[in-house]
Amino acid sequence: MRQESKIIVGVVAGCAVFILWFAFHQPVGRVPEEWIPEEVLQEIERKESTEKRTVSVQANESADVKQSRETKTVTTTVQEAKPTEEVAAETTHSSTTTSSQHQAAGNTLPDVPMYITGQWTQELITLQYKLLNQLQASVPEANSLNRPGAPKPTAVEDATAAQVTQLHKCDDKFNVPWTYEEMLADLEVFLRDLYPKRPISSNAGGMRVSHAFACWFVVKRLKPKTIIESGVHKGQSTWLLRQAAPDAEIWSLDPANDVAFWEKNVHYYIGSSPTFRKPGYDVQQWKDFLEIDWSVIKNKHETVVLFDDHQNSFHRIQAAHKLGFKKILIDDNWAPLLGDNYSPKQVCDESGGTAFRAPDFPSKRILMCDNFHMKDKFITLEEHQKNRVALRSIMKVYYESPPVLFHPSLMISGPFGHTPRIGSNGIDYVLPPPSNKLLRTFATSFIGPPIVQTEGDYERLGLSKLPLFEFQFYCSFAFIELH
């Protein structure tokens, strides 16, 4: 009996050792098969094996030779959307092409960073998945990258994907005012010296790392003397604006009083109470951007206006243009079928989101979202396209700051489509969840590749110290310069 017990204990112990060995030797966070074709995975594994065998040789190579070799490993590029040509009068404003961007950055084609050339590769998607899975995250957050239970691709989805990649947007106005090297250098400073000091460590409902860096970086480059901020939330963005422009006069407006951090020397229009005051701070009852007499600002063409208020951005930009403001920042720049406001990114999509619907979808109407869905309105495709022409006619520059890190599954911040409050006539505008294949096409067509594109930069910048939470809800933070 004692001998049998020993045998049983030995078997159990052996099984336990095998289970532990198996668990620790499994690949962490393998990307779903729709993200990466099997032949690409095999090629990546072959290259990794080759790199291990030649590591001693590569250590002796010059930096130029190594860069040349790395450049040659880039795989098939996801097809980019074609720039639009439908407004003939505007073609003179779209002189910045891919080639001219290369020259402006002072680089030859192979050395231009991916986000400038608009290249998403399978290898880059794989790397982003790997890096994001290394961040501190709860199990549900980590699993969200895998999208367990995502539907398989269908023939209808393949047709939709083909439409999405051919959509005209505002790519021809996507003028890059700075180089990738400048952005990466400033990101290092931002993450090392500034972001650890942020007053709101977990800014739920507000700017997270990609938008926070974009806001700080663009304002720092523009050097405005005056800044208007519509939408304050807890006060993190006001703090960022002050760090970027220490001497600027700042006006901060918000109908709610959720401010947790107050900045000195700011003109606050906060909350609905006419009697609310905060000793030591300039605080008045809230007024909307359109209700304030901005004649007090003499340098409107140099003033930066940040709209982070979930209002109809098309109307906001038109109003700012009529008032004489030229430099606009948009935080809530949602991709089609997402968000709660009619964003420039949505206006730029010539289909108004209809390209994502199946051919037999029962309505051609477009839901123009406004004011946290409280003022949503249906418009026709023709009306949307008129809005698109009107917006493009006043835009000189349209620039979307790339995310710090990004993976297609981070697009799923909610259902695709919207649930109208009124007037839907029983039509469900929320579309079925997309397959990984369609989501990849959607994400890589509407979101530029991230700033951090190597494991070396990831480690050097200390990104592993941030939680996955910081990289969710990226909304294509935009800088727009008006004529």
Side-chain angles (χ1 to χ4, degrees):
M1 192 69 170
R2 215 175 265 175
Q3 184 67 22
E4 292 176 354
S5 298
K6 288 182 179 179
I7 293 173
I8 293 172
V9 170
V11 172
V12 171
C15 291
V17 170
F18 174 76
I19 290 170
L20 288 173
W21 178 90
F22 184 80
F24 284 103
H25 284 75
Q26 291 308 297
V28 176
R30 172 161 291 240
V31 182
E33 61 180 5
E34 290 88 350
W35 294 132
I36 310 297
E38 188 60 35
E39 62 271 18
V40 177
L41 286 174
Q42 292 173 358
E43 179 66 11
I44 292 171
E45 290 172 359
R46 184 190 65 76
K47 289 177 182 177
E48 289 177 348
S49 177
T50 302
E51 288 171 0
K52 289 177 181 178
R53 291 195 303 269
T54 60
V55 65
S56 60
V57 177
Q58 290 184 357
N60 296 323
E61 290 181 337
S62 67
D64 292 339
V65 173
K66 185 176 180 181
Q67 175 62 38
S68 176
R69 175 171 295 182
E70 289 174 349
T71 301
K72 293 177 183 178
T73 65
V74 177
T75 55
T76 305
T77 301
V78 177
Q79 185 177 5
E80 264 289 293
K82 296 180 178 179
T84 182
E85 299 292 344
E86 88 289 3
V87 186
E90 295 178 19
T91 55
T92 55
H93 302 305
S94 59
S95 59
T96 302
T97 63
T98 302
S99 298
S100 62
Q101 288 171 357
H102 301 162
Q103 294 169 4
N107 295 310
T108 57
L109 180 59
D111 297 323
V112 174
M114 289 182 185
Y115 94 91
I116 290 181
T117 57
Q119 294 177 331
W120 265 106
T121 67
Q122 299 288 2
E123 286 184 336
L124 184 55
I125 293 175
T126 304
L127 177 63
Q128 293 294 304
Y129 184 90
K130 177 181 178 181
L131 298 180
L132 287 163
N133 262 300
Q134 294 176 18
L135 302 177
Q136 304 170 19
S138 64
V139 173
E141 285 179 319
N143 286 341
S144 70
L145 291 176
N146 284 308
R147 297 192 70 217
K152 294 296 182 182
T154 65
V156 172
E157 280 200 333
D158 288 343
T160 300
Q163 291 185 69
V164 169
T165 57
Q166 298 298 325
L167 283 177
H168 291 160
K169 301 192 285 291
C170 291
D171 301 38
D172 57 328
K173 293 183 178 291
F174 198 95
N175 305 319
V176 182
W178 30 76
T179 67
Y180 173 81
E181 289 77 14
E182 291 173 326
M183 182 170 286
L184 188 60
D186 273 11
L187 178 61
E188 182 176 6
V189 173
F190 178 80
L191 292 173
R192 183 190 65 219
D193 300 338
L194 189 65
Y195 205 56
K197 300 176 184 178
R198 63 192 182 278
I200 314 296
S201 59
S202 183
N203 196 28
M207 290 185 183
R208 305 184 193 185
V209 66
S210 290
H211 281 225
F213 170 68
C215 179
W216 173 80
F217 176 81
V218 174
V219 173
K220 179 171 169 284
R221 293 278 162 175
L222 295 178
K223 297 180 174 62
K225 296 180 180 179
T226 308
I227 301 172
I228 301 171
E229 173 192 25
S230 180
V232 178
H233 193 42
K234 297 178 182 179
Q236 186 106 299
S237 54
T238 314
W239 176 80
L240 284 164
L241 295 170
R242 176 59 71 212
Q243 304 308 306
D247 300 322
E249 184 177 23
I250 300 178
W251 304 67
S252 296
L253 329 172
D254 201 304
N257 187 357
D258 298 325
V259 181
F261 177 83
W262 297 80
E263 187 71 54
K264 292 287 187 179
N265 302 318
V266 170
H267 305 296
Y268 282 105
Y269 286 77
I270 298 289
S272 58
S273 172
T275 59
F276 174 77
R277 296 292 182 271
K278 187 172 179 62
Y281 296 87
D282 178 10
V283 183
Q284 301 182 48
Q285 184 180 4
W286 171 74
K287 289 183 180 180
D288 184 70
F289 172 76
L290 297 176
E291 298 174 336
I292 296 177
D293 180 6
W294 295 117
S295 63
V296 296
I297 297 178
K298 305 304 180 185
N299 56 338
K300 291 182 182 179
H301 63 289
E302 297 178 353
T303 296
V304 168
V305 182
L306 167 61
F307 291 118
D308 186 8
D309 52 16
H310 298 259
Q311 303 300 298
N312 184 322
S313 298
F314 171 61
H315 291 161
R316 285 300 205 197
I317 293 169
Q318 281 188 316
H321 184 250
K322 289 179 180 178
L323 289 169
F325 295 107
K326 304 296 183 184
K327 295 178 171 62
I328 311 295
L329 301 180
I330 301 292
D331 180 73
D332 307 305
N333 193 26
W334 291 97
L337 305 181
L338 295 172
D340 53 12
N341 63 293
Y342 193 46
S343 69
K345 197 177 188 75
Q346 293 173 1
V347 178
C348 282
D349 167 21
E350 63 176 346
S351 80
T354 59
F356 300 89
R357 301 173 184 172
D360 60 349
F361 193 81
S363 174
K364 297 298 182 184
R365 295 190 303 174
I366 296 168
L367 189 65
M368 183 170 66
C369 300
D370 191 8
N371 193 22
F372 299 89
H373 282 308
M374 292 188 288
K375 293 183 179 179
D376 290 355
K377 176 185 176 182
F378 282 103
I379 59 175
T380 65
L381 179 58
E382 291 72 24
E383 289 173 320
H384 167 78
Q385 290 173 341
K386 287 180 180 178
N387 292 343
R388 183 174 184 273
V389 171
L391 178 64
R392 287 172 50 79
S393 70
I394 63 175
M395 284 198 312
K396 181 179 179 182
V397 173
Y398 174 74
Y399 169 78
E400 294 178 3
S401 180
V404 175
L405 291 174
F406 187 77
H407 184 265
S409 59
L410 294 180
M411 291 289 290
I412 305 291
S413 58
F416 279 123
H418 306 284
T419 303
R421 291 176 180 265
I422 57 174
S424 62
N425 297 325
I427 297 173
D428 187 1
Y429 281 77
V430 177
L431 305 183
S435 68
N436 285 332
K437 181 179 179 182
L438 179 59
L439 182 60
R440 179 186 62 191
T441 302
F442 178 45
T444 54
S445 295
F446 280 91
I447 305 294
I451 301 173
V452 177
Q453 299 182 4
T454 69
E455 291 189 75
D457 283 340
Y458 175 85
E459 295 295 340
R460 181 174 57 83
L461 296 173
L463 289 173
S464 60
K465 299 175 184 178
L466 295 174
L468 181 59
F469 164 87
E470 285 284 351
F471 299 93
Q472 295 171 322
F473 295 98
Y474 167 75
C475 302
S476 302
F477 188 98
F479 162 57
I480 298 173
E481 185 176 356
L482 304 176
H483 288 297

